[in-house]
Amino acid sequence: MPERTPYIAANWKMNKTVAEAAEFVDALLPRIAATQSDVVICPSFLALSEVVERRRGTAVKVAAQNMHEEASGAFTGEVSAPMLAELDVEAVILGHSERRQSFGETDEALARKVPAALAAGLEPILCVGESEEARDGGETEEVLERQLQTDLAGLESGQLAEVVIAYEPIWAIGTGRTATAEQAQHACAFIRDVLRMRGASADAVRILYGGSMKPPNAADLLSNPDVDGGLVGGASLDPVEFAGIVEAAG
Ligand code: PEP
């Protein structure tokens, strides 16, 4: 089985001005200098360039939080994959539940966004996850499978290993209600099985857990065999807390 390098991403959402982003990066870099993990910072569009420049010469990668599926056109207010790639951004979060719930992001649009990101040289971090209602109704696997099958429909099986998947149960995001290590492992292993059925070299795909990950619970979540990292919201806003999670990943 291939070794999967742990992957820890900071999703800042609509937080941090450019000046605050710069301050964060300067505080974080010395704290994570020894890490062997992939560390990714996902600022707002406006702070991307600042973070790209400040991390130059380090292993830290930079990701956007969204993008449009078209390369250019009459889409007021949108940003495309080639625009991000030109800034030396390396990755992009796609399908975050906040975008699905508040901005009408559909699985059909994601089926176009994922290949568009790869075509521009960006690593997609595709978020999937069930609502509380779906979990209570025993529909978690059905929801995850539907999202994965639709969102990844535009990829050849050989391309699937280039995508990072984030399992983010909606009930755990920003609520302080973290999934148990068993729930996270079960869902991430299920996601790997779905990818395997699509013919992907599923053992190479990094699958992250996201949902109220904090320094005290990170090691437990990350110790599971199919949990390869974390997508971190609230706890990524503080460089000391975020460095604590990176440290837990190794
Ligand atoms: C997220 O928004 O991707 C997330 C996981 O947020 P939080 O860590 O705050 O739950």
Side-chain angles (χ1 to χ4, degrees):
M1 196 192 294
E3 272 290 302
R4 293 187 293 269
T5 305
Y7 192 107
I8 305 291
N11 177 16
W12 287 352
K13 313 190 186 196
M14 197 177 70
N15 291 293
K16 294 198 188 293
T17 63
V18 175
E20 288 164 348
E23 206 179 310
F24 177 99
V25 176
D26 291 349
L28 178 72
L29 291 178
R31 290 184 159 86
I32 60 162
T35 189
Q36 299 297 310
S37 302
D38 285 345
V39 177
V40 184
I41 300 178
C42 317
S44 75
F45 287 128
L46 291 176
L48 285 169
S49 281
E50 182 68 28
V51 176
V52 164
E53 293 312 321
R54 295 230 165 209
R55 68 76 216 250
R56 270 205 206 286
T58 75
V60 170
K61 295 202 275 187
V62 183
Q65 299 173 16
N66 181 38
M67 53 163 250
H68 195 272
E69 68 230 48
E70 297 291 340
S72 62
F75 302 104
T76 302
E78 292 290 318
V79 168
S80 75
M83 293 173 183
L84 297 171
E86 187 193 47
L87 294 184
D88 288 343
V89 167
E90 288 105 342
V92 58
I93 298 175
L94 295 175
H96 192 282
S97 60
E98 287 156 12
R99 295 218 58 88
R100 291 177 188 260
Q101 288 186 318
S102 305
F103 300 99
E105 178 91 289
T106 63
D107 287 311
E108 289 66 30
L110 288 164
R112 296 185 291 272
K113 288 187 180 195
V114 175
L118 285 175
L122 299 173
E123 177 176 66
I125 305 168
L126 175 67
C127 301
V128 294
E130 80 286 2
S131 64
E132 183 163 30
E133 200 184 8
R135 175 158 284 267
D136 291 347
E139 291 160 13
T140 298
E141 293 188 354
E142 195 182 315
V143 170
L144 294 177
E145 183 162 7
R146 188 177 61 239
Q147 290 177 332
L148 289 165
Q149 296 292 14
T150 313
D151 301 355
L152 299 173
L155 299 188
E156 307 289 331
S157 59
Q159 292 179 293
L160 288 169
E162 296 167 44
V163 179
V164 173
I165 308 289
Y167 167 59
E168 296 216 308
I170 297 169
W171 47 270
I173 296 179
T175 58
R177 228 184 107 196
T178 317
T180 64
E182 292 70 27
Q183 287 170 326
Q185 165 59 22
H186 187 277
C188 290
F190 176 77
I191 289 169
R192 205 176 298 286
D193 284 344
V194 173
L195 296 176
R196 199 169 281 123
M197 285 187 300
R198 277 277 326 258
S201 44
D203 289 332
V205 177
R206 262 89 62 88
I207 303 177
L208 320 180
Y209 166 78
S212 300
M213 186 181 270
K214 314 270 178 214
N217 61 32
D220 195 28
L221 289 160
L222 295 169
S223 67
N224 290 286
D226 286 293
V227 180
D228 305 315
L231 181 55
V232 186
S236 77
L237 296 174
D238 180 284
V240 177
E241 272 203 87
F242 185 61
I245 294 175
V246 172
E247 199 182 327

